[in-house]
Amino acid sequence: MQVTIGKVLGLGGALLGATVAAAACENKAEQKPGAAQSGALGASQSLKQLMEARGLTEADVEAALKTYVPGGKHDEYMIFASGGHSGQVLVLGVPSMRLLKVIAVFAPEPWQGYGYGGESDKVLAGGDQNGKRIGWADVHHPNLSETKGDYDGKFLFVNDKANGRVAVIDLGDFNTKQIVANPLVGSDHGGAFVDPNTEYVIETSQYPVPLGRDYAPITEYKEKYRGVAMFWKFDREKGRIDPAQSFAVELPPYTQDLADAGKLVSDGWVFINSFNTEMAVGGTLEGKPPIESGASKNDMDYLHILDWRKAERLVKDGKATTIKGMRVLPMKVAADEGALALVGEPKSPHGCDVTPDGTGIVVGGKLDTHATVYEFSKIKSLIDQKKFEGKDEYGIPILAFKESIRGQVEIGLGPLHTVFDDKGFAYTSVFIESVVAKWSMKDLKVTEKLSVHYNIGHIMAAEGDTVSPDGKYVVAMNKMSMDRFTKVGPLFPQNFQLVDTTGEQMRILVDAPIGIGEPHYSQMIKIDKLAPHAAYKPGENPYTGKVDPHAVLSPKDARIVRNGTTVDVYMTVIRSHFVPDRIEVDEGDTVNLHMTSLESAEDQVHGFALNMYDVNVSLEPGKHENISFKADVPGVFPFFCTEFCSALHLEMAGYFLVKPKGG
Ligand code: K7E
Ligand code: CUA
């Protein structure tokens, strides 16, 4: 049933009518004379005219009213969305779906001065592999830190599926503080998930390789190639992952896909689905079937069930081996000790989502039309009784499928991911059908399908991964947009659609084209759980959280200190000058620039760019930066501020002079 505009507007209708009247005037030429005098609009005659002029239905206006957030008013929720291949994280407001920020994570980002000579270079270096800089990433799953299974608004973790890395973002300043590279595998997918108290950031591998990434011929796939579940220990005090306290559990060379941590009753467990349990390795040039057909032969693959607390104990008891500096619990040990089991799952599945109460695990069939709901208590009692149907060829016990499930939901073509609301409903993304399927967790029956545009991948719900989802909103993260927007060339924007789930029927409120991608997952947190600071402490180094030892807190302390061929420049930055503003060095000198912003006013940002040397940093209020480089190109190079900070911004400049050798 459509809500009439009169109802939507309620008492505010007359007021809104008056406001839009002015706007409507400008459109007079398009207004039809003698437009309807009465109807649902009541007093809002001019609103009706505006609707007609713009071709809007009442449903459109209702959606607009539910999502419009006037300037100066703030959104109710914040979305942290994967930026896909950009390697970054997108921050959007809900319900407006306005883009608020792009957090630089795995790839250099010029505006934030991320990766251009400053302290952030050290963070990016954390993701180097074999001493090589990896210049991009494929971010899939942002996950917020949790306390007792609830988002606490302190940290965000994301994985780089393409290169097997995990990043830590501090939501104090929305800055990436750490990147760790998985030493065992080169790709991941089941990550970066956290357990309900963020003891660990969990990252499971995708494509099996010999652990440690050493060479072994593909003919030895079954014997030598492996998957892995990484447990990156998170030190909340330091706000960093501690690799020395981290461990991994070896897994068979099935292609592990998505994972989720148990909560409440299932706390301490991790569930990981997989495909290609056929262990197909392709060989298209030799006339063998490609991996895609080899991997879809069987009707069932395996859900991995891992008791991580037990695995943690076994590692502490010295049962792990060490590969490339990482403690790895062999799967044989894990299986024999009852920490690892498998259960069938149809068919090349995707999505693996634990219900808010922790009792169920939902796996999307992808090539099967069902979502399967596993019952944790059944799984647990089968494991406790050692009641197994058999073992796989690696000796891992297999539970009987029928005895492990609560039931199956007939979803449709291509079920992928599932999220939950506060009323006992689940929402599954259905890729091939391009719909969101809403189903009841009581009777496992689909109650409604909503067409989305188009080919939905992930789906996300407000506070959806917590023990107490909010309901209200679901976001469909669609892979294709087709006709939804103006064409921008052959690479189309992907399309987030905000869905209102409060009514009797789901309704799309707004399309949000995402001009960077391909985004995968996202999470939505209530805005009042976040408390980012608006400035740094005077002289703070964002990467230590402390006043930097090289901080310069007054222009009086600005100086240039030469020590042999090393030149240290201690610099202050404030509207609208640098002190010092002339730096002269000799060709071949090592130059260390230490610069502190003396600003304290909110949003008073400067930048520092030095051409020729690829130096570019952002100096938010209070921030301290250290930049080091070798002055190996003689000449004269202006440096200047890159933010329009004041009327004299263009005058905020200086000279860096490099005297040629023998000059
Ligand atoms: Cu389904 Cu990487 Cu979570 Cu994309 S994955 S859609
Ligand atoms: Cu400082 Cu522009």
Side-chain angles (χ1 to χ4, degrees):
M1 220 194 74
Q2 285 222 330
V3 184
T4 65
I5 289 298
K7 275 189 199 154
V8 173
L9 297 179
L11 284 175
L15 186 61
L16 183 64
T19 316
V20 293
C25 281
E26 294 161 25
N27 271 336
K28 263 203 178 115
E30 288 174 43
Q31 285 174 29
K32 293 188 191 88
Q37 297 293 311
S38 60
L41 286 168
S44 311
Q45 166 72 17
S46 48
L47 176 60
K48 178 118 187 186
Q49 288 171 345
L50 181 59
M51 283 166 65
E52 274 177 14
R54 295 207 59 220
L56 299 176
T57 64
E58 290 190 356
D60 292 335
V61 175
E62 186 190 351
L65 290 176
K66 285 186 167 177
T67 54
Y68 177 67
V69 178
K73 293 254 166 31
H74 295 183
D75 279 297
E76 187 184 356
Y77 289 92
M78 203 179 268
I79 290 179
F80 293 93
S82 93
H85 310 70
S86 71
Q88 321 294 38
V89 165
L90 313 173
V91 183
L92 298 102
V94 172
S96 72
M97 298 304 277
R98 293 180 295 204
L99 178 68
L100 299 171
K101 189 164 194 173
V102 177
I103 304 175
V105 186
F106 290 108
E109 203 290 305
W111 180 52
Q112 290 156 71
Y114 185 80
Y116 298 95
E119 289 279 320
S120 57
D121 284 26
K122 295 177 195 159
V123 176
L124 282 167
D128 289 357
Q129 297 183 350
N130 281 332
K132 273 206 198 100
R133 175 58 46 92
I134 309 290
W136 75 292
D138 188 1
V139 172
H140 275 234
H141 306 113
N143 260 245
L144 290 153
S145 56
E146 295 179 14
T147 300
K148 293 190 181 143
D150 206 2
Y151 302 152
D152 56 34
K154 295 286 190 269
F155 297 94
L156 183 76
F157 309 96
V158 296
N159 72 313
D160 166 16
K161 173 186 146 129
N163 305 290
R165 300 181 297 174
V166 169
V168 180
I169 296 155
D170 189 331
L171 296 178
D173 62 356
F174 282 51
N175 245 327
T176 304
K177 302 289 164 142
Q178 185 184 27
I179 297 173
V180 291
N182 192 317
L184 303 169
V185 289
S187 63
D188 63 31
H189 202 199
F193 298 101
V194 298
D195 63 272
N197 282 307
T198 321
E199 289 177 53
Y200 288 97
V201 182
I202 301 154
E203 179 205 22
T204 62
S205 58
Q206 180 116 78
Y207 303 107
V209 292
L211 294 188
R213 308 176 76 181
D214 291 330
Y215 176 79
I218 197 91
T219 48
E220 294 174 13
Y221 184 87
K222 286 190 176 186
E223 301 77 39
K224 302 253 172 88
Y225 289 47
R226 293 292 179 262
V228 83
M230 274 296 311
F231 292 82
W232 292 105
K233 181 79 189 167
F234 186 62
D235 183 335
R236 195 181 269 271
E237 279 296 297
K238 295 202 176 98
R240 300 289 187 277
I241 282 169
D242 182 354
Q245 298 300 316
S246 305
F247 68 95
V249 179
E250 178 194 29
L251 298 175
Y254 310 141
T255 305
Q256 283 79 26
D257 195 33
L258 290 157
D260 202 0
K263 47 173 82 100
L264 300 172
V265 287
S266 54
D267 185 11
W269 295 73
V270 162
F271 310 94
I272 310 157
N273 67 17
S274 65
F275 58 90
N276 195 16
T277 49
E278 298 86 346
M279 297 184 275
V281 294
T284 42
L285 204 56
E286 292 89 62
K288 302 213 177 89
I291 293 177
E292 69 166 323
S293 51
S296 350
K297 253 204 254 144
N298 298 350
D299 284 336
M300 296 293 258
D301 289 284
Y302 290 126
L303 178 69
H304 301 50
I305 302 151
L306 181 57
D307 180 344
W308 66 259
R309 281 201 209 281
K310 193 176 264 183
E312 181 189 48
R313 252 191 330 271
L314 292 166
V315 170
K316 279 200 180 118
D317 292 346
K319 299 273 167 56
T321 54
T322 298
I323 302 173
K324 295 270 158 86
M326 182 57 64
R327 296 177 297 171
V328 183
L329 185 68
M331 59 184 171
K332 176 95 176 55
V333 179
D336 291 351
E337 299 282 345
L340 179 62
L342 303 169
V343 61
E345 49 178 11
K347 171 187 184 175
S348 300
H350 199 64
C352 181
D353 300 288
V354 174
T355 58
D357 63 5
T359 61
I361 303 110
V362 184
V363 172
K366 196 170 77 183
L367 304 187
D368 178 88
T369 56
H370 298 94
T372 301
V373 186
Y374 294 84
E375 187 72 51
F376 177 70
S377 60
K378 293 184 180 179
I379 287 174
K380 179 78 169 44
S381 93
L382 290 173
I383 291 175
D384 288 347
Q385 296 170 62
K386 296 197 170 34
K387 215 173 143 213
F388 306 128
E389 197 180 54
K391 286 186 173 179
D392 78 342
E393 61 181 281
Y394 298 97
I396 304 170
I398 302 167
L399 313 182
F401 175 71
K402 287 250 155 65
E403 291 172 38
S404 304
I405 65 171
R406 183 182 301 176
Q408 290 189 292
V409 195
E410 180 69 51
I411 298 271
L413 295 179
L416 301 181
H417 301 279
T418 300
V419 294
F420 309 94
D421 71 7
D422 56 337
K423 298 189 180 65
F425 288 100
Y427 303 79
T428 299
S429 56
V430 194
F431 177 78
I432 299 170
E433 266 184 52
S434 285
V435 299
V436 169
K438 177 179 178 181
W439 50 276
S440 159
M441 288 205 277
K442 269 207 200 92
D443 58 8
L444 307 188
K445 291 261 180 333
V446 171
T447 61
E448 192 192 349
K449 280 185 176 177
L450 174 75
S451 290
V452 290
H453 315 88
Y454 301 88
N455 293 73
I456 178 172
H458 262 286
I459 182 167
M460 177 264 286
E463 302 256 327
D465 290 305
T466 68
V467 291
S468 57
D470 280 11
K472 208 161 176 175
Y473 297 115
V474 151
V475 175
M477 304 178 68
N478 306 301
K479 303 293 181 193
M480 298 184 187
S481 60
M482 316 270 273
D483 57 355
R484 300 297 281 189
F485 310 110
T486 310
K487 296 262 182 298
V488 289
L491 188 58
F492 288 41
Q494 308 220 344
N495 187 15
F496 286 8
Q497 287 178 306
L498 182 67
V499 177
D500 178 358
T501 60
T502 55
E504 262 167 55
Q505 289 184 317
M506 293 184 278
R507 199 183 265 183
I508 294 170
L509 294 180
V510 64
D511 280 41
I514 300 299
I516 205 165
E518 168 201 358
H520 289 265
Y521 193 45
S522 53
Q523 284 190 334
M524 195 196 298
I525 182 174
K526 195 95 194 204
I527 223 115
D528 58 17
K529 286 185 174 173
L530 296 159
H533 29 265
Y536 292 105
K537 297 185 288 242
E540 180 179 345
N541 178 332
Y543 300 96
T544 61
K546 300 198 174 94
V547 176
D548 193 274
H550 302 289
V552 200
L553 298 176
S554 154
K556 290 199 305 281
D557 300 325
R559 62 205 187 272
I560 299 175
V561 182
R562 172 176 284 280
N563 219 319
T565 56
T566 300
V567 180
D568 282 277
V569 182
Y570 296 85
M571 193 184 242
T572 57
V573 182
I574 193 163
R575 275 161 288 173
S576 298
H577 53 273
F578 300 101
V579 183
D581 57 5
R582 282 198 317 246
I583 304 164
E584 182 151 341
V585 302
D586 297 325
E587 183 183 353
D589 281 348
T590 296
V591 180
N592 303 317
L593 303 177
H594 312 286
M595 51 184 77
T596 305
S597 167
L598 300 182
E599 302 285 356
S600 57
E602 269 186 30
D603 206 7
Q604 194 59 59
V605 178
H606 301 281
F608 175 89
L610 170 59
N611 60 35
M612 182 62 76
Y613 285 95
D614 199 26
V615 165
N616 166 41
V617 295
S618 169
L619 294 157
E620 296 97 276
K623 185 171 169 184
H624 181 86
E625 269 286 3
N626 296 304
I627 299 163
S628 287
F629 60 95
K630 207 172 173 81
D632 49 7
V633 183
V636 175
F637 310 104
F639 59 81
F640 42 87
C641 177
T642 52
E643 283 277 334
F644 212 105
C645 54
S646 70
L648 293 170
H649 151 72
L650 294 170
E651 289 79 352
M652 190 168 175
Y655 278 99
F656 181 69
L657 305 100
V658 183
K659 236 196 283 170
K661 270 198 181 113

